[in-house]
Amino acid sequence: MSAHQVVVLGAGAAGAAAARELITARAVDVTLVGASGREPYNRTLVNKGVALGLITPEQAALTPPNEPFVADTARRVDVAARRVHLDSGATLGFDSLIVATGSTPRRVHAELRGARDAVRAGRLTTLHSLRDALGVRDLLARTPRPARVIILGAGLVAAETASVLHQAGHDIALLARTTTPGRTALGDLVARRVADLHRTHICTYFARQPVAVTPGEAHVGLVLDDGTRVEADLVIEAIGTTPVAPQPWPNGVDVGARLHIAGAPRAYGAGGVAIHRGGLLGSWRIDHWGDAAAQGGHAARTLLYDLGLGADPGPYLPRANFAARVYGRTLTGVGHNGSGARERCVSTDPLLVVHEVEGRAVGAVGIDAVRLVQEWAPRLHA
Ligand SMILES: Cc1cc2nc3c(=O)[nH]c(=O)nc-3n(C[C@H](O)[C@H](O)[C@H](O)COP(=O)(O)OP(=O)(O)OC[C@H]3O[C@@H](n4cnc5c(N)ncnc54)[C@H](O)[C@@H]3O)c2cc1C
């Protein structure tokens, strides 16, 4: 009898972790599928390493954990026929499927008047892929220092990118729609502290939005909603991500407590592509490396359990950690710190805030409180 065939779509944090878990179990055959013509890479190194010219794209590469590895973008999944249709026209049959295709950056500002020309000139860009990073690296290299860079966005990637470019000696402005950027990902108390750090180190435009882009030969300008005009060499759009997956799930996969994809038997979702529904946390999605890897491993263990080949891992509950350096301070979190939770300040110096839903701790986040935050991980969801 031939072995059970598992196809894993996406070879980033979640897909590689899922494949690794399945290979270790030695009970099924695994085929890992990545995007056409691209080596998988560690996305977390895009802004901190490659865009700054500190490492080469090759140094950001991820070695796929197994053979066969197929670099051929999945275009469509025929759930009923259990077949994946690939970019090249080839197809792959499967008995079980794990979808771990990640996310794509939101592009609100690329729709503004004047934005297309700025995008074409490489002066308005996202910073999500290696390609984006090489564009930023090359533009910074040919711009007299300090380059003037505007970052549009409020989350962790925007904050971290502002910080690394500032520390590299560039002249940075951060523009965010809200008065307390990052509130939905970090909660109010930590987001306020991070906003103060931004104000101390760089130029900030909070509670502002651009209404038009004015592209030029050697610069780009933004017109803000209060009429202010800001000029720069480069504008980086870092306003979050949306899930991305092949048809029939172009907007991501809805997963249940054990990471089964709704309406698709023997299919599982993990990482930035997965929208979690139901349970104490309601509807949520986490897009950071540690949690994506944890979801990938969990999806693989659920799959093995469904086949009678492993123990029941139970529902997926986020406990993984993230960390970012912001102007020399360490911002760390574990679990779910999204909106909908109540904040409880445990310590003000160092700052440590626990997030609770119905009296249960579901996340913890802090500044320069790495050990204190880590100690909360095993206590979450108890
Ligand atoms: C600039 C930047 C910096 C970041 N820094 C940090 C950080 O410091 N710490 C942190 O925790 N998180 C960080 N993140 C977030 C983190 O990188 C993501 O949350 C994480 O990579 C998500 O893992 P994933 O497996 O869901 O998706 P990814 O790692 O993006 O992997 C998805 C993979 O699927 C492939 N793929 C997509 N579609 C298809 C398809 N149809 N067929 C086949 N393959 C496909 C993609 O090419 C990709 O290789 C950062 C993100 C960015 C953009």
Side-chain angles (χ1 to χ4, degrees):
M1 202 173 81
S2 65
H4 189 91
Q5 301 292 323
V6 181
V7 169
V8 180
L9 300 181
R20 212 170 286 122
E21 186 84 30
L22 294 170
I23 292 161
T24 307
R26 294 168 176 264
V28 295
D29 279 353
V30 185
T31 302
L32 183 61
V33 179
S36 305
R38 250 182 284 157
E39 290 270 295
Y41 54 88
N42 184 333
R43 199 173 294 288
T44 68
L45 300 174
V46 159
N47 60 342
K48 301 179 269 295
V50 181
L52 296 177
L54 297 176
I55 61 168
T56 63
E58 293 71 29
Q59 288 169 318
L62 282 178
T63 307
N66 66 309
E67 292 293 339
F69 170 69
V70 178
D72 196 350
T73 301
R75 291 292 169 211
R76 183 167 67 83
V77 175
D78 186 332
V79 175
R82 297 195 182 192
R83 197 150 273 282
V84 181
H85 294 255
L86 304 171
D87 219 11
S88 64
T91 65
L92 272 176
F94 63 84
D95 297 309
S96 295
L97 179 75
I98 296 181
V99 180
T101 44
S103 57
T104 188
R106 282 210 194 102
R107 298 250 39 195
V108 172
H109 304 98
E111 303 303 319
L112 291 179
R113 179 161 46 89
R116 270 190 201 172
D117 289 339
V119 170
R120 223 170 285 132
R123 293 190 182 274
L124 171 59
T125 181
T126 52
L127 187 47
H128 187 83
S129 64
L130 270 187
R131 194 160 165 245
D132 295 338
L134 292 174
V136 170
R137 183 194 69 181
D138 294 349
L139 191 133
L140 292 177
R142 60 174 193 270
T143 304
R145 285 177 90 89
R148 296 162 306 163
V149 184
I150 302 173
I151 295 164
L152 304 172
L156 272 177
V157 172
E160 193 184 54
T161 305
S163 168
V164 292
L165 288 172
H166 165 73
Q167 278 171 341
H170 298 296
D171 186 358
I172 308 301
L174 182 68
L175 198 157
R177 208 165 34 90
T178 59
T179 44
T180 317
R183 201 165 171 266
T184 46
L186 300 169
D188 190 52
L189 297 170
V190 172
R192 276 177 202 238
R193 271 298 166 95
V194 174
D196 286 343
L197 288 173
H198 287 310
R199 282 191 200 96
T200 308
H201 291 89
I202 60 169
C203 181
T204 55
Y205 297 90
F206 293 162
R208 293 271 175 283
Q209 349 191 17
V211 291
V213 180
T214 52
E217 268 300 299
H219 72 278
V220 56
L222 292 181
V223 183
L224 309 189
D225 51 358
D226 62 352
T228 307
R229 288 172 180 266
V230 197
E231 284 226 335
D233 299 297
L234 174 67
V235 178
I236 296 174
E237 206 179 7
I239 54 167
T241 60
T242 54
V244 66
Q247 294 289 349
W249 306 293
N251 302 316
V253 293
D254 283 1
V255 297
R258 283 176 163 75
L259 308 187
H260 297 99
I261 297 179
R266 291 238 189 282
Y268 308 79
V273 71
I275 304 156
H276 299 252
R277 307 274 187 201
L280 186 69
L281 301 178
S283 173
W284 58 277
R285 180 175 159 257
I286 295 180
D287 197 359
H288 67 65
W289 190 269
D291 195 74
Q295 289 188 39
H298 200 95
R301 287 190 291 279
T302 304
L303 186 159
L304 293 169
Y305 168 69
D306 289 345
L307 296 175
L309 298 170
D312 181 4
Y316 181 77
L317 296 169
R319 288 193 177 86
N321 76 299
F322 66 84
R325 292 281 289 169
V326 182
Y327 312 109
R329 313 292 293 273
T330 304
L331 180 58
T332 340
V334 289
H336 174 83
N337 296 290
S339 46
R342 193 178 142 271
E343 294 178 54
R344 183 161 62 82
C345 184
V346 176
S347 152
T348 51
D349 191 16
L351 183 60
L352 172 66
V353 179
V354 171
H355 289 236
E356 296 175 337
V357 174
E358 292 179 18
R360 275 194 226 179
V362 296
V365 60
I367 297 179
D368 293 337
V370 176
R371 189 179 51 79
L372 294 175
V373 168
Q374 291 294 349
E375 283 172 3
W376 273 93
R379 296 158 69 182
L380 301 180
H381 312 285

